[in-house]
Amino acid sequence: MDQPDSQHAPDSVVGMSKGDATDALVAADDSRDPEFVEAILGHVTDDGVVTEDAIDETVADASMVLSTAETRVELAQQALEDATATAKDVSGVDTVRSRLDTFESTVSALDAHVTDLGASIQSLSGWRNGDGDLYGLVTGLRDVTSEAQTVTRVADDTQLDLEQFERWVSSHDWRRDELDADVDALEQSLDDLACTCEELSTTDDGRLWFDAMLRRHVVSLLVADVRAELADLRELADRNDVDADGLDEIADRLDELDDRTTTLGDELDSLAQATWQAQFEDRLTSFREGLDEFEPPVSWGDVQSELEQRRPDVGQ
């Protein structure tokens, strides 16, 4: 039976100074950056020497960070169960169902991620068996630690979002105020678009016009999304037998936004130069087709991401 290649076993550099261990690991793979290797060896050295105790301590530290992530995911799972129970009677409303689906997807992904990280840490914990070199061990532990910290952060954020969702489901005032804030954001977007229209009257920069056209179509989509959510909020108020206070005012504001969007759209059309239309027609068509894939309830984050991918650099 072939024996493990001691040159690549983790314990092959145990007892070496950090400098000698760096040289050995770089010699084993000359694609490695010496400065980076030296930096990661700092995690497994005591008084400048690579030691088994330091390696074990690094494994233990990574395991502890992962344990924290696992606990936070469990708390997020419990928060999801609580939120699902709170929303049980209204889970058929589109806006409610969409939010729950998003939370379920996020928590499921977090759970799968910590399971994978657990398998990774289990494998790395067997370093004394000589599986892989010290470089792979320490970089693997570093990756597990970093990803576990990310899981912890996302799980904490998700738990807080779920607690807010419970308040949203339970409170008409909370829902109304949140929707009102969305309308405020859309009004600001149209204010910005109006400023761009003024700027376009004194510039020949077609990129600015193209960017404004993209934003025009995004606002139209998001106004439609808010209007759909408004209908859901009316249904929630009816199911909860509460006064739909403030929703008529939001409907009036949405009507005004529709009018402003149409007016600004007409202005952008009138400002368009033939060369701009020829240059950007295909990209505008592609963008509109992409937006057509979105149906209420719309993820504003996904729409914003789509916009950012298509926007030209108008700052140069």
Side-chain angles (χ1 to χ4, degrees):
M1 178 181 296
D2 292 336
Q3 296 298 316
D5 184 354
S6 62
Q7 182 180 3
H8 296 288
D11 59 355
S12 66
V13 295
V14 170
M16 290 185 181
S17 68
K18 183 163 66 172
D20 289 343
T22 297
D23 292 341
L25 293 177
V26 172
D29 185 345
D30 60 11
S31 67
R32 295 168 179 167
D33 176 51
E35 291 185 4
F36 179 74
V37 172
E38 184 176 14
I40 66 168
L41 285 176
H43 296 286
V44 290
T45 57
D46 284 328
D47 296 326
V49 176
V50 178
T51 68
E52 292 184 348
D53 286 345
I55 296 173
D56 285 336
E57 184 176 347
T58 301
V59 173
D61 288 344
S63 298
M64 184 175 298
V65 173
L66 177 58
S67 178
T68 298
E70 291 169 338
T71 299
R72 301 301 174 80
V73 170
E74 290 173 0
L75 291 173
Q77 289 172 323
Q78 183 58 57
L80 176 60
E81 291 178 8
D82 293 343
T84 301
T86 299
K88 179 179 63 175
D89 293 337
V90 292
S91 60
V93 177
D94 286 346
T95 300
V96 177
R97 183 70 264 160
S98 175
R99 296 188 184 202
L100 280 174
D101 287 346
T102 299
F103 285 130
E104 288 170 1
S105 177
T106 299
V107 172
S108 177
L110 289 171
D111 184 50
H113 200 169
V114 292
T115 298
D116 290 343
L117 292 176
S120 295
I121 202 73
Q122 184 67 30
S123 174
L124 293 168
S125 296
W127 70 270
R128 291 178 184 274
N129 298 325
D131 297 332
D133 63 8
L134 187 63
Y135 179 87
L137 170 65
V138 180
T139 55
L141 291 171
R142 188 192 64 158
D143 290 344
V144 167
T145 299
S146 176
E147 291 182 34
Q149 289 170 335
T150 298
V151 167
T152 296
R153 184 178 67 255
V154 175
D156 286 346
D157 290 344
T158 301
Q159 182 183 353
L160 290 174
D161 289 344
L162 280 161
E163 291 169 356
Q164 290 187 345
F165 170 75
E166 282 197 77
R167 290 192 286 270
W168 179 87
V169 167
S170 304
S171 169
H172 169 75
D173 289 346
W174 188 286
R175 295 191 297 268
R176 179 202 60 214
D177 291 346
E178 183 181 281
L179 196 63
D180 215 29
D182 287 342
V183 176
D184 288 342
L186 291 174
E187 285 182 342
Q188 182 60 57
S189 294
L190 288 175
D191 288 343
D192 294 341
L193 197 57
C195 290
T196 301
C197 285
E198 291 182 9
E199 188 176 353
L200 280 168
S201 64
T202 60
T203 184
D204 288 325
D205 190 349
R207 295 172 303 170
L208 187 62
W209 174 81
F210 173 59
D211 183 74
M213 290 292 288
L214 296 179
R215 289 185 284 135
R216 161 198 181 181
H217 293 302
V218 166
V219 171
S220 294
L221 172 64
L222 297 184
V223 169
D225 178 62
V226 171
R227 196 177 290 282
E229 185 169 342
L230 175 63
D232 285 345
L233 263 57
R234 291 190 188 279
E235 182 177 353
L236 287 170
D238 184 60
R239 291 195 185 195
N240 294 330
D241 195 25
V242 298
D243 184 15
D245 179 53
L247 297 188
D248 287 341
E249 289 79 0
I250 291 177
D252 291 340
R253 294 181 68 192
L254 287 174
D255 289 341
E256 293 174 2
L257 290 181
D258 274 333
D259 291 342
R260 286 191 67 194
T261 302
T262 299
T263 299
L264 289 170
D266 291 343
E267 186 172 354
L268 284 170
D269 289 339
S270 68
L271 289 166
Q273 297 182 14
T275 54
W276 299 350
Q277 292 173 319
Q279 181 180 358
F280 296 110
E281 179 180 3
D282 290 344
R283 292 165 66 180
L284 276 173
T285 299
S286 175
F287 183 68
R288 286 195 298 266
E289 290 174 349
L291 292 186
D292 287 343
E293 298 297 320
F294 290 94
E295 295 287 345
V298 170
S299 167
W300 286 31
D302 289 348
V303 172
Q304 184 64 32
S305 177
E306 182 77 11
L307 173 63
E308 293 303 324
Q309 291 177 27
R310 306 295 188 103
R311 296 183 75 175
D313 185 355
V314 295
Q316 295 182 351

